[in-house]
Amino acid sequence: MKAKLWLVPALVLLSAFAQAQEKFKVGYIRVMDDAQAMVAHEAGLYKKHGLDVELIEFSSGTDLIKAIVGGQLDTGVLGFTNAVAWASKGADLKVVGGAQQGYHSILVREDTDIQDVAGLKDRTLASQREGSTADAVLRGVTLKNAGLKPSDVNIMGVSPAVAVQSLVSGRVDAAFLFEPYDRIAQLVAPVRQVYEIGEVWPFPCMVVITSGDTLAKRKDAVWKSLDAQRDAIELLDKQPAEAAKLIAGYFIAEPTLKTLKRGELAREVVIEEAIGTQTFSAKLGDDDLARIQELADILQEQGSLKTRDGKPFDTRAILDLSWQEAREL
């Protein structure tokens, strides 16, 4: 028995060592909204804060949230609506930090007479798939505030890249886009911007999400990842040209982009301009929290969010802002 007791401290040390060596997995989507995760990785900021991070790309927020729920990811940067939808079904999820304020523009082809959102009636609009954060905001805020029903517009749910191609080819009259696809479309297609939601209805589009289990077991690592991403946001805000050099290759494969009016542009220039349109924030303030609840209410009104008791979903149940409170943000 004594021999076995002697093994206990050694086993504890081995367990602690194994946890220290275990990779911390961060999920992201290849959009400017998730730039903080990419910059933190490329600039070595995760390592600076003592984390060995594996950055894992996902093609959609739905797939990313499934990985968090399933335990394949530790954290992810994605749309808040994904967390609400899954939490309403019983998933143990926590929003632990901010990322990016919503930037979604409506671009219309120059050969149309569309001057504003109301002008989209009976027109074809390329947007994201139904159920996404962008789609919820488009239907529940943008169109509604313009006096339009979703059925008044022919909405095509496609990827951002396909939306840009559709604008170039003339297959659609307009597109609802985020960066850097907004920037790329304005450079390569005959379009003009008639609307940007951040100017009229600012909201926290992207947040940092983890599971309750991960937060309980790896709180120190989660907080270190948030520290790294906070530093990445500072780099994006104060040194956008440097940040663009780090992540331009994520978005544009070729060294340059051929534009309609400005000739060949270095991809770093394009991405720096896209960064300049963004508002990144690691903190979720009171206004953000009110908007988060409003978004949940919109989802419930649209029928894409249903609670077991039929009552409004209380978003406070999935918020854990202890990191930003401890850092006095």
Side-chain angles (χ1 to χ4, degrees):
M1 180 62 70
K2 289 183 179 181
K4 290 182 179 180
L5 289 174
W6 277 102
L7 286 173
V8 172
L11 290 173
V12 170
L13 286 172
L14 283 172
S15 176
F17 179 76
Q19 284 192 343
Q21 296 300 307
E22 185 181 350
K23 280 186 178 291
F24 190 86
K25 297 180 180 179
V26 176
Y28 77 103
I29 302 169
R30 199 175 292 240
V31 293
M32 188 57 63
D33 303 3
D34 286 30
Q36 68 187 66
M38 296 173 243
V39 169
H41 187 261
E42 296 299 325
L45 297 174
Y46 291 122
K47 289 183 180 178
K48 172 187 170 184
H49 287 279
L51 285 182
D52 181 10
V53 163
E54 180 180 356
L55 198 62
I56 304 174
E57 181 184 354
F58 289 82
S59 59
S60 73
T62 300
D63 292 338
L64 200 161
I65 203 79
K66 284 181 181 178
I68 292 177
V69 171
Q72 290 84 42
L73 279 181
D74 293 299
T75 68
V77 179
L78 69 159
F80 171 78
T81 55
N82 290 282
V84 172
W86 280 79
S88 70
K89 299 173 185 176
D92 182 20
L93 295 170
K94 295 296 179 184
V95 173
V96 291
Q100 181 258 7
Q101 298 292 308
Y103 177 99
H104 290 77
S105 73
I106 291 180
L107 301 181
V108 302
R109 284 185 56 86
E110 290 179 347
D111 56 7
T112 71
D113 60 357
I114 302 169
Q115 300 299 320
D116 51 25
V117 178
L120 293 173
K121 184 175 174 60
D122 299 325
R123 300 300 186 102
T124 302
L125 173 75
S127 183
Q128 289 185 68
R129 69 184 63 177
E130 190 170 352
S132 65
T133 300
D135 182 74
V137 170
L138 172 67
R139 296 168 185 265
V141 179
T142 303
L143 296 181
K144 185 177 181 179
N145 289 350
L148 296 177
K149 302 186 295 292
S151 59
D152 290 331
V153 183
N154 180 18
I155 302 173
M156 294 173 48
V158 297
S159 71
V162 171
V164 174
Q165 293 167 4
S166 299
L167 281 172
V168 172
S169 66
R171 287 194 294 136
V172 298
D173 301 303
F176 193 47
L177 290 169
F178 47 80
E179 295 286 21
Y181 300 99
D182 167 273
R183 186 66 31 208
I184 291 171
Q186 292 197 51
L187 290 169
V188 304
V191 297
R192 65 182 185 278
Q193 186 182 106
V194 298
Y195 174 89
E196 199 283 291
I197 195 167
E199 297 175 354
V200 296
W201 201 81
F203 72 103
C205 178
M206 292 291 185
V207 293
V208 183
I209 298 172
T210 187
S211 69
D213 184 61
T214 297
L215 188 59
K217 293 179 178 177
R218 306 193 71 186
K219 178 180 175 181
D220 183 59
V222 171
W223 280 26
K224 286 179 179 178
S225 73
L226 292 171
D227 289 336
Q229 291 182 16
R230 175 202 57 202
D231 292 352
I233 287 174
E234 185 175 0
L235 184 62
L236 284 158
D237 287 342
K238 295 183 178 179
Q239 301 180 63
E242 291 303 312
K245 290 177 184 177
L246 293 171
I247 62 174
Y250 279 78
F251 303 110
I252 304 174
E254 299 299 323
T256 61
L257 181 71
K258 186 176 182 180
T259 71
L260 288 178
K261 300 176 181 178
R262 295 169 62 184
E264 296 278 346
L265 279 184
R267 63 186 180 185
E268 291 81 7
V269 172
V270 177
I271 298 307
E272 182 182 354
E273 291 181 3
I275 290 172
T277 69
Q278 305 294 283
T279 301
F280 298 100
S281 176
K283 178 183 178 180
L284 290 170
D286 291 340
D287 289 345
D288 298 320
L289 301 182
R291 254 325 178 231
I292 281 174
Q293 183 61 56
E294 193 172 350
L295 273 170
D297 295 342
I298 288 171
L299 288 172
Q300 208 156 353
E301 182 182 328
Q302 292 175 345
S304 55
L305 172 63
K306 297 179 180 179
T307 56
R308 293 172 180 175
D309 56 10
K311 295 180 180 179
F313 183 85
D314 187 354
T315 56
R316 291 174 298 180
I318 62 171
L319 294 173
D320 186 314
L321 303 181
S322 55
W323 169 77
Q324 72 177 42
E325 292 164 1
R327 298 296 188 262
E328 298 182 346
L329 296 184

